[in-house]
Amino acid sequence: MTLTYTAGHFGIDDLGGIKISIRSASDQTPPQFDDPAAAGYTTITASNGARLKYWYRKNSNIRPWGNTLYIQCLNYLSEGDTITVRMGDMSQGSPGMRMQTFVEHAYEFRVHVDAFSTYDYTVLPDDRQPKIRLIPGPSAVHQAVLPSLRAVGDSFALGFKAEDRWGNPTPEDTGTYTLHPTRPVEGLPETVSMKDSNGGALLIEGLSVESPGDLSVEIRDNEGKTVATTNTLRIAEAPDFRHFWSDMHGQSGETIGTNTARQYFEFGRDKAFLDICGHQGNDFQITDTFWQDLNELTAELNDPGRYVTVPGYEWSGNTSVGGDHNVWYRTEGRPIYRAQRSLVMEDSTDENTCIDAAELFDRLNDEDALVVAHVGGRYADVSYAHDANLEPSVEVHSAWGTFDWIFEDAYKAGYRVGIVSASDGHKGRIGASYPGSGKFGSLGGLTCHLMPSLDRNDLFEAFRHRRHYATTGCRPFIDVRIAGLQNGTRRHYSGEWAATDTALIGDIVTCENTEIALDIDISAHAGIERIEIKDGLSVLTHIQTEAEARRSGNRIRVQCEGAEYRGRSRRVDWDVVLTLDSTPRSTRAVNFWNADCNVEVEGNTVSWGYVTTGGAHAVDIWMEDGFSGTLNFNSNVTGFAIDLAELGTKDIVHDCGGLGKAVRLSRLPDEMLPSKLQTQLSVPLSSDEERCLFARIVFEDGHIAWTSPIYITRTSQ
């Protein structure tokens, strides 16, 4: 690409110059000036022969235009002189410049000029700003989505889409596919054609099942190859609630994200197949005008029974005054209480500024609002302030990473909170927020809400009772409950208590039992690798599926996990070389979301480079004999060797400091693990001692799910 700047009447004074910025969210190849044969090689010249000094830095300009190429003129330019920038100059062997990994309908190179060498740059008029349209690539994978819980006879939909290698829905697939359900489905066609898709996504509505049980649908191409299999839909006879899936936290291009707010919400509905969606722009980037526009948009698009949109924003205080908290309102027209106004001074007032989290909770006390502590760039300090009626849950996962510690902080502070996930996606793909190749290291999360019906009233009622479970982006069916409570009572968020004999996800209950049975029911998209049943900070028990098969398994999982610390510089870059005594039969990457990153096998050496941001990535290695020889682990982080005969069903964990930074070795069966599990755990109760019982489930494909705790206390008879 060639960008040419032509100087105007004043030219450019010496030591003046221009800067060309792209959005902070962009993960395109950065310009480089030293290697003509490498990607991103960029050349810059002036038509009058002026000497130029140039450099590129990320996060070096006012957001959202953070990634900036600076060009300084060491000699002056006159009117009509030009500066020519060739980005991805291929004349000397460079492969060019890869554009960002996500679709943008108006990708802008924002040009600023300092014509007078005052270091006061002027943004060029909008009609002079170069803009291009970034479109999806060819179809690479397919995804299929069902709800996770419906009643017999309920109407539901199946979502099916084609994605390019970076996760963008793509209309380039025009194939015909056959649908193969595991049980009869009323209204399900035998075939679908992607020629009928909406930009690569199809929604097949009006489906129903007339008997209880589990349903999944396999989708095959015209050669009989399975291209996608849905998650499991549990059909129940008469459930008390249904499951509805949300991503309530992301941003559009009006703040730090990509594309317009309308395109953002429409993507969540039409291409991510969400039931519930919110928009959480940083408060200091939401003008009063945009806040009004957002409210009008959520009111327009809110469609009870089909798609619930919720007005809200991210209160973006520094960690020292409480840190990031998401705020949602039940209705439009409510105030935006900002932490500060740094980027919206001209279209906002001080009237509703809340300079710390304590003041925010105080101002929201009379509002019909929900608040959730978030870990992003600024992480929340939940100990700073809390209101149980406003803040029922904390967010343990987003595209920023995985943060079990924020729940642990809340528990240590004495709070009874639930667990949610979202994406905080900046790439315009709410609900399907792939991290691309930039600073994010994880797929964005989702939350499953247990609600009688799909509307805002039921959402707020369920949310305030913590009736939800969180995932790292998958959609399993999960049920955790306690039946048979003796003289049981359940607490309503209003403070009132009512009789109950059953405790569900998120409940606060009392009973007279000396022992309870915790029932766990999981039906998932992938094998269940392990389950931790937790009581607050303690692990009551580990459940491993296929324990016998693990003992003789020749599959070794090498997992890198953790973070450097809690803040923005949490990312750990791993460059790993494994040396084995024999050549592996095969390998499989787990949680590698960056399509540029692969596992390389050369003889008895396995190597890769990838990142962790609080979560984990792994490589599964199938050996002919997984019990003989030595595994040598070498990396930029740590190095060690183990005798494979020492690895049994108990993990070997090599601690690397940081925040849970470690290398974990596990032995797994040769075959894939089962994806369904029903089990029961007996838990003794002591008088007047509250238990905080929840499940943390790790799936074979690297996904994680957390159920909101059941808080249960035995009272004296």
Side-chain angles (χ1 to χ4, degrees):
M1 295 176 294
T2 301
L3 183 149
T4 303
Y5 174 83
T6 303
H9 174 74
F10 293 104
I12 297 179
D13 197 7
D14 59 342
L15 298 186
I18 65 172
K19 59 183 180 181
I20 304 167
S21 298
I22 59 174
R23 285 184 169 270
S24 302
S26 180
D27 57 5
Q28 76 165 53
T29 305
Q32 57 90 11
F33 317 102
D34 301 320
D35 187 349
Y41 184 60
T42 298
T43 57
I44 306 173
T45 57
S47 62
N48 68 345
R51 293 175 302 140
L52 302 173
K53 180 181 179 181
Y54 38 84
W55 62 96
Y56 175 83
R57 284 206 306 269
K58 294 184 177 181
N59 302 317
S60 61
N61 192 51
I62 296 173
R63 61 189 284 160
W65 304 99
N67 299 334
T68 300
L69 171 60
Y70 287 84
I71 304 170
Q72 187 177 48
C73 300
L74 302 184
N75 306 104
Y76 72 87
L77 270 63
S78 300
E79 182 176 10
D81 289 337
T82 61
I83 296 174
T84 300
V85 183
R86 294 179 177 87
M87 293 172 277
D89 186 336
M90 302 169 68
S91 62
Q92 300 181 67
S94 170
M97 178 174 286
R98 178 181 53 70
M99 299 306 297
Q100 69 187 26
T101 62
F102 48 98
V103 168
E104 188 161 0
H105 301 287
Y107 183 90
E108 180 176 333
F109 298 86
R110 177 157 289 204
V111 181
H112 317 65
V113 60
D114 171 21
F116 307 110
S117 190
T118 59
Y119 298 91
D120 182 13
Y121 286 85
T122 299
V123 180
L124 296 189
D126 187 67
D127 62 356
R128 297 296 180 94
Q129 299 292 3
K131 295 173 185 166
I132 59 176
R133 182 166 173 249
L134 297 182
I135 63 174
S139 174
V141 298
H142 294 80
Q143 307 289 348
V145 174
L146 284 172
S148 51
L149 176 63
R150 290 292 185 269
V152 170
D154 277 358
S155 179
F156 62 88
L158 184 157
F160 178 55
K161 61 180 173 177
E163 292 179 340
D164 68 16
R165 66 193 294 260
W166 292 104
N168 300 295
T170 177
E172 292 202 19
D173 182 2
T174 58
T176 298
Y177 297 88
T178 57
L179 281 60
H180 303 267
T182 55
R183 60 192 306 112
V185 179
E186 294 290 326
L188 186 71
E190 292 184 1
T191 63
V192 293
S193 172
M194 293 303 284
K195 292 179 180 179
D196 301 323
S197 75
N198 173 14
L202 282 173
L203 191 65
I204 307 165
E205 299 181 283
L207 310 180
S208 63
V209 175
E210 300 307 316
S211 61
D214 285 353
L215 166 70
S216 62
V217 179
E218 196 174 90
I219 301 176
R220 302 174 189 163
D221 63 18
N222 57 12
E223 296 179 352
K225 178 185 175 182
T226 299
V227 299
T229 302
T230 67
N231 57 298
T232 300
L233 167 57
R234 172 67 54 86
I235 302 292
E237 192 67 58
D240 295 327
F241 42 76
R242 278 76 171 158
H243 287 179
F244 299 102
W245 288 88
S246 79
D247 185 352
M248 295 179 66
H249 182 191
Q251 304 204 43
S252 62
E254 290 87 348
T255 54
I256 193 67
T258 306
N259 298 323
T260 67
R262 178 176 293 277
Q263 290 163 340
Y264 165 102
F265 279 112
E266 289 174 346
F267 185 99
R269 180 190 63 197
D270 301 333
K271 296 181 179 177
F273 312 123
L274 290 175
D275 301 306
I276 304 162
C277 189
H279 182 290
Q280 303 306 114
N282 295 105
D283 56 6
F284 59 85
Q285 285 189 268
I286 299 179
T287 63
D288 286 352
T289 300
F290 182 46
W291 178 241
Q292 181 178 339
D293 292 344
L294 271 177
N295 278 252
E296 292 173 357
L297 190 58
T298 55
E300 174 194 340
L301 296 179
N302 188 50
D303 185 6
R306 170 66 180 88
Y307 185 55
V308 169
T309 54
V310 188
Y313 67 98
E314 182 184 293
W315 183 85
S316 303
N318 288 349
T319 299
S320 60
V321 293
D324 286 352
H325 286 73
N326 289 317
V327 178
W328 298 277
Y329 292 113
R330 192 191 300 248
T331 59
E332 284 77 16
R334 307 311 306 149
I336 177 170
Y337 297 103
R338 298 181 181 88
Q340 45 95 359
R341 301 165 45 232
S342 58
L343 297 182
V344 295
M345 297 295 287
E346 295 178 358
D347 191 1
S348 65
T349 68
D350 268 333
E351 180 182 356
N352 292 323
T353 300
C354 296
I355 62 173
D356 58 39
E359 186 174 352
L360 174 70
F361 284 119
D362 183 61
R363 296 291 291 273
L364 289 174
N365 192 51
D366 295 326
E367 296 284 355
D368 194 356
L370 294 169
V371 179
V372 165
H374 161 61
V375 180
R378 296 157 300 275
Y379 65 87
D381 177 3
V382 295
S383 67
Y384 191 93
H386 175 67
D387 185 312
N389 287 330
L390 286 169
E391 187 177 39
S393 296
V394 295
E395 185 185 276
V396 300
H397 179 85
S398 70
W400 290 94
T402 303
F403 315 109
D404 291 84
W405 55 261
I406 194 169
F407 172 81
E408 294 166 1
D409 282 2
Y411 182 78
K412 290 174 186 175
Y415 309 154
R416 293 162 163 163
V417 296
I419 298 174
V420 298
S421 290
S423 69
D424 194 15
H426 295 177
K427 296 178 171 62
R429 301 184 294 206
I430 189 71
S433 193
Y434 296 93
S437 66
K439 60 188 174 182
F440 290 144
S442 300
L443 179 68
L446 299 172
T447 298
C448 181
H449 303 266
L450 284 53
M451 301 158 48
S453 60
L454 182 58
D455 60 39
R456 287 186 189 171
N457 290 335
D458 280 353
L459 172 64
F460 271 60
E461 185 76 10
F463 214 122
R464 286 179 172 146
H465 287 105
R466 301 158 299 281
R467 288 276 173 79
H468 38 242
Y469 58 88
T471 80
T472 55
C474 59
R475 303 194 195 199
F477 169 84
I478 301 174
D479 186 65
V480 176
R481 63 177 62 209
I482 303 167
L485 298 182
Q486 299 168 12
N487 291 323
T489 59
R490 175 187 292 127
R491 187 184 187 278
H492 189 270
Y493 64 82
S494 65
E496 297 180 358
W497 293 80
T500 186
D501 61 1
T502 303
L504 305 173
I505 285 174
D507 275 348
I508 300 171
V509 295
T510 67
C511 65
E512 295 179 355
N513 304 53
T514 58
E515 186 176 74
I516 54 92
L518 188 70
D519 292 307
I520 301 162
D521 186 355
I522 304 168
S523 189
H525 65 291
I528 301 165
E529 202 273 310
R530 69 185 66 205
I531 303 172
E532 290 180 345
I533 305 301
K534 303 193 74 172
D535 178 10
L537 306 180
S538 303
V539 178
L540 296 181
T541 189
H542 285 91
I543 300 172
Q544 284 187 335
T545 56
E546 299 294 304
E548 287 298 321
R550 288 173 188 250
R551 290 189 178 94
S552 59
N554 289 306
R555 178 167 42 133
I556 309 300
R557 173 164 290 188
V558 182
Q559 178 166 296
C560 303
E561 58 191 36
E564 294 291 357
Y565 91 122
R566 294 185 173 193
R568 281 189 176 92
S569 299
R570 64 179 64 92
R571 189 172 103 169
V572 184
D573 292 288
W574 299 84
D575 292 307
V576 178
V577 178
L578 291 183
T579 306
L580 303 156
D581 288 353
S582 60
T583 301
R585 282 190 288 141
S586 62
T587 62
R588 184 183 71 143
V590 177
N591 263 0
F592 277 55
W593 296 110
N594 185 334
D596 283 342
C597 297
N598 300 294
V599 178
E600 304 290 340
V601 180
E602 185 173 345
N604 63 341
T605 299
V606 182
S607 60
W608 69 88
Y610 201 46
V611 304
T612 58
T613 53
H617 73 258
V619 176
D620 283 354
I621 304 170
W622 280 264
M623 306 291 296
E624 290 293 347
D625 181 358
F627 293 85
S628 63
T630 301
L631 183 152
N632 289 282
F633 182 98
N634 295 288
S635 75
N636 59 315
V637 177
T638 188
F640 59 90
I642 67 155
D643 184 343
L644 288 175
E646 297 176 1
L647 181 60
T649 58
K650 184 177 180 180
D651 296 348
I652 294 175
V653 181
H654 185 82
D655 181 60
C656 302
L659 186 63
K661 186 168 62 171
V663 180
R664 181 183 301 271
L665 303 180
S666 307
R667 185 175 296 280
L668 296 173
D670 290 16
E671 304 299 322
M672 295 294 105
L673 294 163
S675 60
K676 299 178 186 290
L677 177 71
Q678 292 182 336
T679 190
Q680 188 178 82
L681 177 69
S682 295
V683 181
L685 300 181
S686 301
S687 183
D688 298 320
E689 179 182 348
E690 184 173 82
R691 296 274 203 172
C692 169
L693 304 176
F694 67 101
R696 186 182 191 270
I697 304 147
V698 179
F699 296 100
E700 194 169 18
D701 64 354
H703 276 296
I704 304 173
W706 301 258
T707 63
S708 289
I710 298 172
Y711 296 87
I712 184 168
T713 305
R714 176 190 166 199
T715 56
S716 302
Q717 297 184 12

